[in-house]
Amino acid sequence: MRTADPAARATVTDAELTGAPGDTVLRLGTIDAAYDARGRSLADVSGYLTRRFGLPGGDAHEVRRQLLRRRPPACLVVGGVDRARDPEALVQDLLGQLAARARSRGVRLVLGFEGVPPAGRPAGALLGVLAGLAPSGPVLTRCADRLARAAAPPGGRVREVPARPR
């Protein structure tokens, strides 16, 4: 993701680029903005997007509105959403509403969630928030259900092995 965002690519070393498998390096300009939200606040993410796109700024709602009206539409990647300082606020106030309207406005948005969420911040709950906001809610609800099942203790996941079909 850092190789495709022109602002982030400046921090990528030549050794990283030449050492990476060719099909894992995105072309420069593929992504308009990429941001790692781990440990960052809602204000940090909003501020980055404001600076990156030269927006007038404002609170998260205003930044979201400006991004949705931007021409040409943006391609954004926000990683570590579930590891942000307050992931629920980030999803509720900025990314969830952006995701809900992205497709109709031509915005391409990728949200990255890391492996095992920290205690008290389940990724499934964040997907549940997104499910309530986005038109693709049923898909996100199924994802949240799968995450919840995967996080369950092993004894709770497999009750019996089905017979092999003949």
Side-chain angles (χ1 to χ4, degrees):
M1 141 172 120
R2 293 181 323 146
T3 62
D5 176 352
R9 183 138 181 174
T11 66
V12 178
T13 66
D14 289 339
E16 284 180 277
L17 289 173
T18 57
D23 60 346
T24 64
V25 178
L26 296 171
R27 290 186 327 237
L28 184 62
T30 304
I31 297 172
D32 297 312
Y35 192 73
D36 184 357
R38 287 179 291 179
R40 306 297 180 131
S41 68
L42 172 61
D44 293 336
V45 178
S46 295
Y48 168 77
L49 293 171
T50 296
R51 290 184 305 279
R52 181 71 186 90
F53 291 105
L55 302 173
D59 66 6
H61 300 282
E62 185 61 24
V63 171
R64 181 188 70 234
R65 188 186 68 74
Q66 293 165 15
L67 282 170
L68 289 169
R69 293 182 177 185
R70 180 181 182 274
R71 292 291 171 246
C75 179
L76 310 171
V77 176
V78 180
V81 173
D82 54 334
R83 304 293 178 134
R85 192 172 303 153
D86 186 352
E88 290 82 6
L90 182 59
V91 169
Q92 188 71 41
D93 296 340
L94 179 65
L95 300 177
Q97 295 292 329
L98 191 58
R101 294 172 178 84
R103 186 174 184 168
S104 67
R105 299 296 182 124
V107 173
R108 292 173 291 160
L109 176 65
V110 177
L111 301 179
F113 293 82
E114 295 188 14
V116 178
R121 293 183 175 178
L126 295 173
L127 285 173
V129 171
L130 284 170
L133 298 171
S136 56
V139 172
L140 291 171
T141 300
R142 286 194 301 274
C143 289
D145 291 345
R146 286 183 191 145
L147 275 171
R149 283 195 305 274
R157 286 191 289 194
V158 179
R159 290 197 166 69
E160 65 181 64
V161 177
R164 185 175 178 168
R166 296 183 190 258

